[in-house]
Each structure stands twice: as C-alpha cells, then as structure tokens.
Amino acid sequence: MAGDMEGANEVPLRELNQQTSRVMARVAAGETVTITKDGVPIGDIVPRGGRSGRPSYPFRTDGMGPLDLPDLDGPALTDREIDEVLRGMGSAGGAADV
C-alpha cells in the first residue's frame, strides 16, 4: 500500500477512499492514522477513547456563570431595547432581505 511506504501511520486520502475498511481496522486495533493529501497531513483518525497525544478541547455544556462585563460608559439599555435594535439590524437592507 502507498501509505505503508511513507510512514506506518500515514494514509493518503485516495487510499482511505479505496480501502476504508482496511484503514478503519487499523484504527480499531488502536492505531492513530494520519490522513494526507498531496503528502500534507490534513487530519487524524483516532481510536475511540484513545489518546492522540494532542490536547482535547471538548464542547462545554455547563453554564459559564455570571458575566463580568466592563462598563463602556454607553447608555443603559433594557433587554427589550436590545432585542428591538437587534431585530432592526436584519431589516436594514442587508443580505438577509434578498
């Protein structure tokens, strides 16, 4: 296979398209596979629950708590006034009206 000549864990995108089951068997066996396009790494396929050696940044689903916003000396607007301003922005002749 072409991927075996370059590096044990690199697989060209074309090979992934043609040999998906074989590549995924390697991943299922615990190997992290780097997909390349024109010799340039474009992504990794990592075993589920496995560690790739790279930091993971999962999405937060919990509340972040109260916001501490700086005072910019602007007018104090109510939530209703803010909603009206934001609604008006969509009807100012922009792309949303097309």
Side-chain angles (χ1 to χ4, degrees):
M1 281 188 286
D4 292 335
M5 292 188 309
E6 296 170 359
N9 64 342
E10 290 188 356
V11 173
L13 184 58
R14 177 177 291 185
E15 182 177 325
L16 175 64
N17 287 332
Q18 296 172 350
Q19 306 278 334
T20 306
S21 295
R22 189 172 288 173
V23 173
M24 294 309 295
R26 291 169 57 183
V27 174
E31 182 179 346
T32 296
V33 177
T34 299
I35 305 303
T36 62
K37 183 175 182 181
D38 300 324
V40 177
I42 59 171
D44 295 316
I45 303 177
V46 230
R48 183 159 182 105
R51 297 191 54 100
S52 66
R54 296 182 185 96
S56 175
Y57 303 100
F59 290 102
R60 289 185 64 132
T61 58
D62 60 325
M64 295 174 55
L67 296 176
D68 183 21
L69 299 175
D71 183 6
L72 301 175
D73 293 328
L77 300 175
T78 65
D79 287 344
R80 184 177 177 182
E81 291 171 319
I82 293 171
D83 286 342
E84 289 174 6
V85 168
L86 292 175
R87 270 194 216 100
M89 291 174 77
S91 61
D97 292 337
V98 175

